[in-house]
C-alpha cells in the first residue's frame, strides 16, 4: 500500500486540488492530510471535502509545527496506523499528470532499490526543472558565513521595507533559484533532491518508523539536512526522470504572507534558525 502525505497550512483550496490529482491516480492508495495548525477554516473544509472518501484521513495539529514536524506527524500515521509500504511526502501545490504514477514508483524501486527517490519536478510558472538539486555539501565554515549574511539582512530590515514597498513594482516576478532550463534526461544516484516531492521506500521505512525529516528545523534546509543524513547512513537517493510532477511553488507561504516584506523577513529568520540547526547537527556527528 502507498500513502501520500499532504501538509496543509491555511490554503485548503490548493491542498484539495492536489488531493484531487492523487485521487485520480490508478491503483490503490491512502491519503493523509495534515492540517498544520491553520488559523482559518482549513480543518473543517478539508473534513467536509474528504468525508466521502474512505482512503482519506485528515489529521489536526493544534499549532503550526513547521514543515519537518508537521510532515512527520503524517509519516508516523502512514507507517504505524496504515502499515504503508511506500510513503510519498509532497507539497500541497503539486500537480500530477501521470495517472500511472504509483506503477512508476514501484517500477523505479525494482530498478534502483532506492531509499529515497525524487522525480523530475517542473515549475508551472516557467517550465524550469527543480531536480536534482544543484547543490554541494557545505562546510561548517560556509554555513557560518551564511549565518553572518542572514544576520546582516535581518539587521537591515528598513532597507527591505523600502525595497518591497517603494520599489517592489520594478520586479514583481520572483526568480526561482537552483533550477535547470532543460530536463536532466538520465537518472542520477546519490544526489540531493528537491523537498517538494519525496518517495520513501520500504527499505527506508523499515529503519525509520518515527520520522522521515530531522525535526529541529521549522522551515527551510530540510532537503539539505536529509541529504547529509542520507550520506552518513549510506542511504541510496535516486533522481528518476521517468516520473514527472509539476510544482506551483511557495503556495503556502504566498497565502500566509501577501506582504512581500513580511515574507522576506520570515524567510530570513526561518533560514537562520535552520542553518544554526544544521551546524549543530554536523558538529554533533
Amino acid at each position: 500500500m502507498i500513502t501520500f502525505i499532504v501538509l496543509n497550512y491555511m490554503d485548503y483550496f490548493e491542498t484539495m486540488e492536489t488531493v484531487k490529482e492523487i485521487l485520480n491516480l490508478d491503483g490503490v492508495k491512502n491519503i493523509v492530510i495534515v492540517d498544520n495548525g491553520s488559523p482559518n477554516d482549513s480543518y473543517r473544509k478539508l473534513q467536509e471535502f474528504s468525508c466521502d472518501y474512505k482512503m482519506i484521513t485528515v489529521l489536526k495539529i493544534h499549532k503550526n509545527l513547521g514543515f519537518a514536524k508537521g510532515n512527520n506527524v503524517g509519516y508516523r500515521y502512514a507507517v504505524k496506523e496504515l502499515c504503508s509500504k511506500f510513503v510519498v511526502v509532497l507539497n500541497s501545490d503539486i500537480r500530477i499528470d501521470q495517472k500511472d504514477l504509483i506503477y512508476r514508483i514501484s517500477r523505479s524501486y525494482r530498478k534502483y532499490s532506492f531509499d529515497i527517490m525524487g522525480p523530475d519536478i517542473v515549475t508551472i510558472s516557467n517550465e524550469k526543472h527543480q531536480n536534482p538539486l544543484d547543490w554541494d555539501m557545505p562546510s561548517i565554515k560556509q554555513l557560518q558565513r551564511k549565518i553572518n549574511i542572514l544576520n546582516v539582512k535581518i539587521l537591515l530590515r528598513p532597507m527591505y521595507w523600502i525595497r518591497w514597498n517603494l520599489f517592489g513594482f520594478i520586479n514583481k516576478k520572483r526568480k526561482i533559484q537552483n533550477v535547470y532550463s532543460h530536463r536532466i534526461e538520465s537518472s542520477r544516484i546519490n544526489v540531493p533532491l528537491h523537498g517538494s516531492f519525496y518517495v520513501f521506500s520500504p527499505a527506508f521505512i523499515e529503519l525509520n518508523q518515527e520520522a522521515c525529516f530531522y525535526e529541529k528545523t521549522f522551515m527551510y534546509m530540510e532537503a539539505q539536512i536529509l541529504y547529509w543524513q542520507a550520506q552518513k547512513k549510506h542511504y541510496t537517493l535516486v533522481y528518476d526522470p521517468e516520473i514527472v510532477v509539476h510544482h506551483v511553488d511557495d503556495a503556502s507561504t504566498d497565502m500566509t504572507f501577501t506582504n512581500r516584506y513580511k515574507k522576506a523577513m520570515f524567510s530570513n529568520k526561518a533560514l537562520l534558525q535552520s542553518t544554526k540547526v544544521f551546524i549543530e547537527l554536523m558538529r554533533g556527528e
Side-chain angles (χ1 to χ4, degrees):
M1 176 68 73
I2 187 168
T3 298
F4 293 82
I5 310 296
V6 185
L7 186 67
N8 175 77
Y9 185 71
M10 291 183 64
D11 197 355
Y12 56 84
F13 179 80
E14 192 77 55
T15 296
M16 288 189 288
E17 291 301 303
T18 295
V19 172
K20 289 175 186 175
E21 303 263 320
I22 300 169
L23 288 170
N24 286 330
L25 297 177
D26 297 334
V28 180
K29 62 270 182 183
N30 285 315
I31 303 168
V32 176
I33 305 171
V34 181
D35 182 54
N36 201 12
S38 300
N40 60 2
D41 287 337
S42 281
Y43 181 62
R44 181 178 62 83
K45 293 284 189 181
L46 292 168
Q47 279 191 313
E48 292 174 354
F49 163 76
S50 62
C51 64
D52 292 330
Y53 300 99
K54 291 183 179 180
M55 73 284 291
I56 300 179
T57 302
V58 183
L59 303 178
K60 172 69 173 175
I61 302 175
H62 293 288
K63 68 173 183 178
N64 186 352
L65 298 180
F67 179 90
K69 282 187 178 180
N71 274 307
N72 282 344
V73 169
Y75 176 86
R76 275 193 295 275
Y77 186 89
V79 171
K80 295 194 170 185
E81 302 298 326
L82 301 177
C83 301
S84 303
K85 184 178 179 182
F86 291 94
V87 175
V88 179
V89 177
L90 67 160
N91 279 17
S92 60
D93 55 358
I94 291 290
R95 301 292 177 263
I96 305 168
D97 294 331
Q98 294 174 326
K99 290 197 67 177
D100 63 345
L101 176 77
I102 295 172
Y103 165 75
R104 288 172 181 260
I105 288 172
S106 296
R107 183 179 66 185
S108 181
Y109 185 58
R110 290 193 300 270
K111 184 175 182 180
Y112 298 109
S113 299
F114 62 80
D115 292 290
I116 308 166
M117 186 268 287
D120 180 20
I121 302 171
V122 186
T123 60
I124 289 177
S125 60
N126 55 12
E127 294 292 312
K128 300 295 184 181
H129 300 260
Q130 295 180 296
N131 248 348
L133 285 176
D134 183 15
W135 181 83
D136 294 321
M137 183 66 68
S139 65
I140 291 178
K141 186 176 180 179
Q142 288 171 319
L143 289 173
Q144 187 60 59
R145 191 178 302 123
K146 187 181 186 73
I147 285 177
N148 295 338
I149 293 170
L150 288 166
N151 278 324
V152 170
K153 287 183 176 180
I154 292 170
L155 286 172
L156 295 177
R157 287 192 299 270
M159 299 295 292
Y160 270 84
W161 188 92
I162 292 170
R163 176 184 175 185
W164 294 122
N165 288 280
L166 299 183
F167 301 105
F169 63 89
I170 295 175
N171 182 19
K172 289 289 185 181
K173 192 169 184 180
R174 182 176 61 89
K175 183 180 178 181
I176 301 175
Q177 297 180 337
N178 299 323
V179 295
Y180 305 91
S181 59
H182 61 282
R183 178 177 182 242
I184 305 300
E185 297 287 347
S186 59
S187 62
R188 301 287 175 86
I189 309 297
N190 291 332
V191 291
L193 300 170
H194 194 271
S196 61
F197 195 106
Y198 288 118
V199 180
F200 297 98
S201 75
F204 180 91
I205 292 169
E206 184 178 358
L207 297 174
N208 299 273
Q209 297 281 304
E210 296 292 332
C212 54
F213 296 116
Y214 187 66
E215 289 199 340
K216 290 189 177 181
T217 62
F218 184 82
M219 186 176 290
Y220 302 124
M221 299 203 78
E222 294 86 3
Q224 289 83 355
I225 291 174
L226 183 64
Y227 177 60
W228 182 86
Q229 290 180 310
Q231 285 192 319
K232 296 298 177 183
K233 296 178 181 180
H234 304 289
Y235 292 158
T236 300
L237 292 86
V238 171
Y239 160 71
D240 188 347
E242 295 300 311
I243 301 173
V244 182
V245 300
H246 291 82
H247 188 199
V248 177
D249 198 36
D250 264 2
S252 181
T253 48
D254 287 342
M255 177 78 174
T256 307
F257 298 103
T258 54
N259 183 301
R260 298 182 75 200
Y261 163 75
K262 290 182 179 179
K263 180 180 177 181
M265 288 301 98
F266 167 82
S267 297
N268 285 339
K269 289 178 180 179
L271 187 54
L272 176 63
Q273 185 266 343
S274 294
T275 306
K276 290 179 178 179
V277 165
F278 198 1
I279 290 176
E280 291 173 3
L281 182 63
M282 293 176 77
R283 283 178 173 162
E285 64 174 311

